[in-house]
Amino acid sequence: LCAGGERSVSYEELKDLKKNNVIHIDVRERWEIDRYGKIPASVNIPLNELVEALQMNPTDFKEQYNQKMPAKSDHVVFSCFAGTRSKQALNFATSLGFS
């Protein structure tokens, strides 16, 4: 799991972060979610959709992903299967102005 500043967080740390309204975006592919399961209280946005999703109109984002669109100042954690895609997701979000 990747959090701001390219820092990795453990599952236990993520559980604590989620108590503080952290938005958890799982960037695995949909077939991975089907095969391995959804992480509770996460939103699945495959990595190849992420840049477009983070630039959507908030109403369209809510309709597409059934979740409020994160603001650029919100705390966001990205996860994937092994960590590579979550680091890419963090770089994409940072390049779009997310802090």
Side-chain angles (χ1 to χ4, degrees):
L1 303 169
C2 266
E6 304 243 2
R7 183 175 156 284
S8 293
V9 296
S10 70
Y11 176 72
E12 291 302 318
E13 289 173 312
L14 178 62
K15 286 186 354 184
D16 288 339
L17 288 171
K18 284 187 170 188
K19 294 175 187 173
N20 297 315
N21 296 323
V22 168
I23 298 167
H24 180 189
I25 299 177
D26 185 341
V27 295
R28 293 179 294 162
E29 296 296 323
R30 288 186 179 86
W31 69 265
E32 291 176 283
I33 303 296
D34 292 341
R35 180 176 290 166
Y36 302 111
K38 183 180 185 311
I39 300 169
S42 69
V43 59
N44 175 233
I45 305 175
L47 184 63
N48 65 349
E49 296 176 22
L50 185 67
V51 171
E52 182 180 342
L54 293 178
Q55 297 179 87
M56 283 181 155
N57 171 299
T59 303
D60 294 339
F61 185 95
K62 173 78 172 163
E63 185 176 302
Q64 174 81 22
Y65 298 107
N66 199 30
Q67 168 128 2
K68 177 185 162 276
M69 183 172 174
K72 292 189 177 186
S73 60
D74 285 341
H75 296 281
V76 180
V77 174
F78 297 99
S79 66
C80 65
F81 190 74
T84 302
R85 289 173 287 178
S86 58
K87 287 179 183 172
Q88 287 178 302
L90 180 61
N91 290 335
F92 289 155
T94 302
S95 74
L96 293 171
F98 285 79
S99 58

